[in-house]
């Protein structure tokens, strides 16, 4: 329900206080209405069940150690989201194409890492769960709102001293042991591997992958916290590790949920299938309705991006759009580039009539033309 007053992280605000017609605001209504839904706080929802299962792992292995936060406001400053975690000024994630800006200095957090620096000033070990927002393309595993859990843990000189390791080695070793244990807690005896990667806020940085149903699945990003972040939080004598994991990604695998849109469904045939505290339940699809495909071609311009296209399509079709896929792309002798996209429409709750789909497609064509200034072919 789209309430007009929001209370997030103890901060009450009228939704109307957010200036919606600011030219630097790129948050559409479809996203705006997700603020405050907090799926991760529903104990009978797969996202809440998974959050609780991860809490259970930390509580039993590290009793009373980690402070938990799950209602920090998702509207944060550019400083919190990017600067505080050392994201470079020219990093793509800062662009209007990738991030939702409420105004030029305020964003919908694109990761729970936005809270690291501030929490580090007061806490040594913590978990932060929350909804995060990213402009993205459309398919069964991508949705512009999803949920992450962040973990941070700091160490003292006597700890790595006693182990006879240098600080970074010690933290990296502890991190891997902790997360391998978490993966086993959630998935049982699975094959895992560590992959080196890059994040601005950790060094070294890793991804953990697990072998699941014949595929290597990336389950989280993590690493040893950059010393600069600790220094700025008044902890220069410590080292720390941090991780961030995507809850939908894991829940889709653990509960056999085939499409990420289902997490947002209020259809009882979805919501009634899950029980508090039960990670093992497999989702039984209620009859799958057929998809309907519509193609559209247009000449793009220099400012065209697929994320912008997807936002327009979602603005019209909401959760009835299952996928938007580029199926043809060519440039003619005059240097004009044409894209053809195939849009898959499918409701998860009922079958759609030809008239409904034609109407959606007609509106999509009209909006794509007027909002993106492209020329339909
Ligand atoms: N913030 C990273 C992401 O969203 C995940 C991460 C968190 C990586 C903490 C390292 C440390 O992809």
């Amino acid at each position: 329900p789209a309430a007009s007053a929001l209370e997030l992280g103890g901060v009450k605000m009228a939704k109307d206080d957010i200036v919606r017609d600011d030219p630097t605001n790129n948050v559409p209504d479809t996203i705006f209405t997700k603020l405050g839904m907090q799926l991760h706080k529903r104990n009978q929802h797969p996202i809440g069940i998974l959050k609780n299962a991860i809490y259970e792992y930390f509580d039993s292995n590290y009793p009373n150690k980690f402070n938990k936060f799950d209602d920090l406001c998702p509207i944060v400053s550019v400083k919190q989201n990017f600067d505080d975690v050392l994201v470079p000024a020219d990093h793509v994630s800062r662009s209007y194409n990738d991030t939702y800006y409420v105004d030029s200095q305020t964003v919908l957090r694109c990761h729970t890492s936005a809270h690291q620096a501030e929490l580090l000033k007061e806490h040594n070990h913590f978990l932060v769960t929350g909804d995060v927002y990213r402009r993205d393309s459309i398919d069964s595993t991508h949705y512009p709102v999803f949920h992450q859990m962040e973990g941070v843990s700091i160490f003292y000189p006597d700890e790595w001293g006693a182990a006879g390791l240098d600080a970074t080695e010690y933290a990296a070793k502890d991190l891997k042991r902790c997360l391998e244990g978490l993966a086993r807690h959630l998935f049982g005896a699975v094959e895992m591997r560590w992959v080196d990667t890059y994040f601005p806020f950790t060094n070294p940085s890793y991804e953990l992958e697990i072998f699941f149903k014949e595929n290597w699945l990336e389950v989280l990003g993590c690493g040893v916290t950059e010393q600069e972040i600790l220094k700025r939080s008044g902890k220069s004598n410590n080292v720390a590790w941090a991780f961030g994991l995507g809850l939908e990604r894991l829940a889709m695998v653990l509960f056999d949920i085939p499409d990420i849109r289902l997490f947002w469904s209020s259809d009882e045939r979805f919501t009634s299938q899950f029980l508090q505290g039960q990670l093992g339940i497999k989702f039984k699809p209620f009859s799958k309705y057929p998809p309907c495909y519509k193609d559209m071609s247009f000449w793009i311009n220099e400012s065209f991006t697929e994320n912008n296209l997807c936002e327009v399509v979602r603005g019209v079709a909401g959760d009835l759009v299952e996928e938007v896929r580029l199926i043809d792309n060519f440039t003619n002798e005059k240097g004009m580039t044409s894209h053809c996209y195939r849009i898959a429409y499918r409701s998860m709750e009922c079958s759609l009539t030809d008239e409904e789909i034609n109407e959606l497609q007609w509106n999509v064509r009209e909006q794509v033309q007027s909002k993106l200034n492209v020329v339909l072919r």
Side-chain angles (χ1 to χ4, degrees), residues 160-178:
W160 62 85
L165 291 174
D166 82 37
T168 303
E169 272 171 9
Y170 181 80
K173 200 170 159 207
D174 189 84
L175 171 68
K176 289 183 173 177
R177 192 177 47 93
C178 171

Side-chain angles (χ1 to χ4, degrees), residues 110-111 113 116 134 148 150 199 201-202 221-223 242-244:
C110 72
H111 54 181
S113 304
Q116 269 191 24
R134 290 186 196 172
Q148 283 189 328
E150 188 95 359
F199 297 107
F201 24 91
T202 49
C222 64
F243 70 82

Side-chain angles (χ1 to χ4, degrees), residues 328-364:
D328 189 37
N329 177 3
F330 71 88
T331 302
N332 70 9
E333 319 86 72
K334 291 185 198 146
M336 294 160 72
T337 298
S338 166
H339 281 185
C340 179
Y341 284 91
R342 177 158 294 169
I343 304 178
Y345 295 101
R346 186 205 311 250
S347 165
M348 290 167 300
E349 285 149 19
C350 59
S351 61
L352 298 170
T353 64
D354 285 347
E355 291 81 56
E356 283 172 299
I357 289 167
N358 288 337
E359 165 109 7
L360 286 172
Q361 180 66 5
W362 198 82
N363 288 331
V364 164

Side-chain angles (χ1 to χ4, degrees), residues 177-240:
R177 192 177 47 93
C178 171
L179 293 174
E180 285 169 11
L182 174 61
R184 271 192 300 274
H185 176 75
L186 299 175
F187 291 95
V190 280
E191 224 188 309
M192 311 179 209
R193 69 181 184 196
W194 290 98
V195 180
D196 289 323
T197 187
Y198 165 82
F199 297 107
F201 24 91
T202 49
N203 185 19
S205 303
Y206 312 100
E207 275 162 4
L208 176 60
E209 297 185 341
I210 60 168
F211 197 65
F212 196 85
K213 291 193 177 154
E214 314 288 292
N215 283 309
W216 285 104
L217 174 81
E218 182 202 321
V219 299
L220 57 84
C222 64
V224 178
T225 303
E226 281 287 358
Q227 209 56 32
E228 178 64 20
I229 297 175
L230 290 172
K231 193 172 130 201
R232 292 187 196 171
S233 299
K235 305 230 151 124
S236 15
N237 296 325
N238 302 98
V239 287

